[in-house]
Amino acid sequence: MAEGAGDGDRNETERTVVDRTLKLRLSPSAAGADTPSYVQDRILPEVEWVHRLCGTSLISSATRLLRMSASTYASACAIFHRFYHRVSLAKYDVWSVAMASVLLAGKIEEDPRRLREIVLVFSHLYRRRRLQIGVSETNKLAPNGDSNGTTDSNPSASGKTIRPKCSDLVSKLTEPERNNILRHMKPMSPHGPVYTEWHDALVSTENVILRELGFVLYWIPDSHPHKFILYFVRVLDIHDKQACAAIYMACQDCAVKLPMQPQPWWHVFVGSESDQDVSTVCNVILSLADETNNEQNQMAMLTFVPSCLEGDGSFNDPDSFLWSISD
């Protein structure tokens, strides 16, 4: 938040900006340098950040389509992240792990779904994300900001996550036509080769996750971080400051003026010594939505990110059987 936010003579038209020092604290590179992906295979933390975000966004979309509870979603994310704290992205792709995490989370939360339901939902998400490839003009994501439109089949070695080339069919479709393809797509046969590919990837990865996590998952629903966060917020008495920061930002966005004379309005709720705390909360929220992260976040959450698997790639990577049959 711009300096002087708490001054009475603050310029009301002054734009709120992101504090870059806070942005550095929230950088994904600081949090991923000790994971197996980096230690064993030198996959850069920025690349791992994109793949983890892709996996959790798949879990979010799948649990909504499957009408599973928020607690099941949280458990699936916990399983997903704990697995990649033990295993490298170069060994298992996020699509397989996300599917298996949803399956296991449904079991431990007593909110189970059949294997066929999970396969159909993830295959639908796969088709939907493939149809988004090429919609944006950006063809390549590079953590250092360089983009030259080339293709790299080994992102772990170069430190770059490459968006696959858009197929000729998808590039010729308009947005309504892409939506119609998804709307009128018939469910796959449970006896066909496409279903078998998805089913085998789900079952085999479920077994791998159970082995890696020691077949003990019952404690996860009781250890969701959200419970601890709410407890810490109450003990530290910071929820009022978060509320004031949210109101301040909403008013800035909607051009709503709140009283700043004879003192800023939030002093009534959190006191005159809380200006810096309110400013910090605003900057943390702004940093999460900073435009420098939008490109890679949108790529991870809306389109397809090729895996970091060594060799021929994952079961649904470009040049795979599923990729070619989807055209």
Side-chain angles (χ1 to χ4, degrees):
M1 193 162 62
E3 293 182 1
D7 299 336
D9 58 350
R10 178 184 183 277
N11 185 358
E12 293 293 340
T13 62
E14 184 180 355
R15 298 289 295 176
T16 301
V17 297
V18 177
D19 183 343
R20 298 294 170 177
T21 60
L22 280 172
K23 174 68 171 58
L24 293 176
R25 296 181 204 173
L26 298 172
S27 172
S29 61
D34 59 347
T35 61
S37 298
Y38 180 78
V39 174
Q40 299 174 10
D41 299 289
R42 293 302 173 187
I43 297 175
L44 295 182
E46 292 86 352
V47 175
E48 183 170 5
W49 168 278
V50 171
H51 283 266
R52 295 244 199 156
L53 183 58
C54 177
T56 52
S57 68
L58 287 171
I59 292 172
S60 175
S61 299
T63 51
R64 286 201 305 270
L65 291 173
L66 291 166
R67 298 183 179 181
M68 304 175 86
S69 66
S71 182
T72 304
Y73 163 69
S75 292
C77 288
I79 294 171
F80 179 86
H81 287 303
R82 286 184 176 275
F83 178 76
Y84 279 120
H85 275 289
R86 296 183 59 85
V87 178
S88 170
L89 280 163
K91 302 297 188 295
Y92 296 95
D93 66 285
V94 296
W95 281 83
S96 301
V97 176
M99 278 197 300
S101 298
V102 170
L103 178 63
L104 289 169
K107 293 178 180 179
I108 64 177
E109 290 281 355
E110 298 184 359
D111 188 19
R113 295 295 184 273
R114 294 182 300 169
L115 267 69
R116 176 169 171 77
E117 293 176 307
I118 295 175
V119 165
L120 291 179
V121 164
F122 272 88
S123 64
H124 168 75
L125 293 175
Y126 180 64
R127 288 191 294 265
R128 188 167 73 184
R129 293 197 173 209
R130 283 196 72 243
L131 289 173
Q132 291 299 319
I133 299 172
V135 173
S136 172
E137 294 181 357
T138 303
N139 293 320
K140 184 175 182 179
L141 169 67
N144 59 6
D146 297 332
S147 178
N148 57 19
T150 59
T151 300
D152 187 346
S153 61
N154 190 354
S156 62
S158 64
K160 300 175 182 178
T161 302
I162 309 303
R163 176 174 296 171
K165 181 181 177 181
C166 179
S167 69
D168 294 335
L169 173 63
V170 174
S171 62
K172 297 176 183 178
L173 297 176
T174 63
E175 183 67 26
E177 290 173 335
R178 285 193 292 269
N179 292 333
N180 284 334
I181 288 178
L182 294 174
R183 189 176 297 114
H184 300 293
M185 185 73 68
K186 295 182 179 179
M188 68 183 73
S189 169
H191 307 293
V194 176
Y195 181 87
T196 301
E197 287 278 340
W198 285 98
H199 180 274
D200 291 350
L202 171 56
V203 173
S204 61
T205 310
E206 179 192 18
N207 293 330
V208 171
I209 292 177
L210 287 172
R211 288 197 302 269
E212 287 294 332
L213 300 185
F215 292 89
V216 180
L217 302 175
Y218 65 87
W219 54 270
I220 289 179
D222 296 326
S223 303
H224 289 163
H226 314 83
K227 299 178 182 178
F228 299 102
I229 292 173
L230 293 175
Y231 174 74
F232 294 153
V233 166
R234 292 192 183 98
V235 171
L236 297 174
D237 194 25
I238 60 176
H239 55 282
D240 291 339
K241 298 173 186 177
Q242 292 175 329
C244 288
I247 293 172
Y248 174 81
M249 294 180 63
C251 291
Q252 290 286 306
D253 189 56
C254 299
V256 176
K257 294 184 178 181
L258 292 177
M260 300 293 291
Q261 298 286 351
Q263 60 182 355
W265 58 269
W266 59 80
H267 286 184
V268 177
F269 302 100
V270 295
S272 59
E273 67 283 353
S274 300
D275 287 357
Q276 184 59 47
D277 293 334
V278 174
S279 177
T280 299
V281 173
C282 288
N283 277 299
V284 169
I285 296 173
L286 288 170
S287 296
L288 294 174
D290 190 10
E291 60 182 7
T292 58
N293 285 332
N294 281 347
E295 181 181 329
Q296 56 184 322
N297 290 350
Q298 289 178 1
M299 179 180 177
M301 294 187 292
L302 298 178
T303 185
F304 184 86
V305 179
S307 74
C308 294
L309 264 64
E310 302 167 343
D312 296 330
S314 73
F315 74 105
N316 63 352
D317 263 349
D319 300 327
S320 67
F321 166 71
L322 286 180
W323 189 273
S324 59
I325 203 68
S326 295
D327 281 341

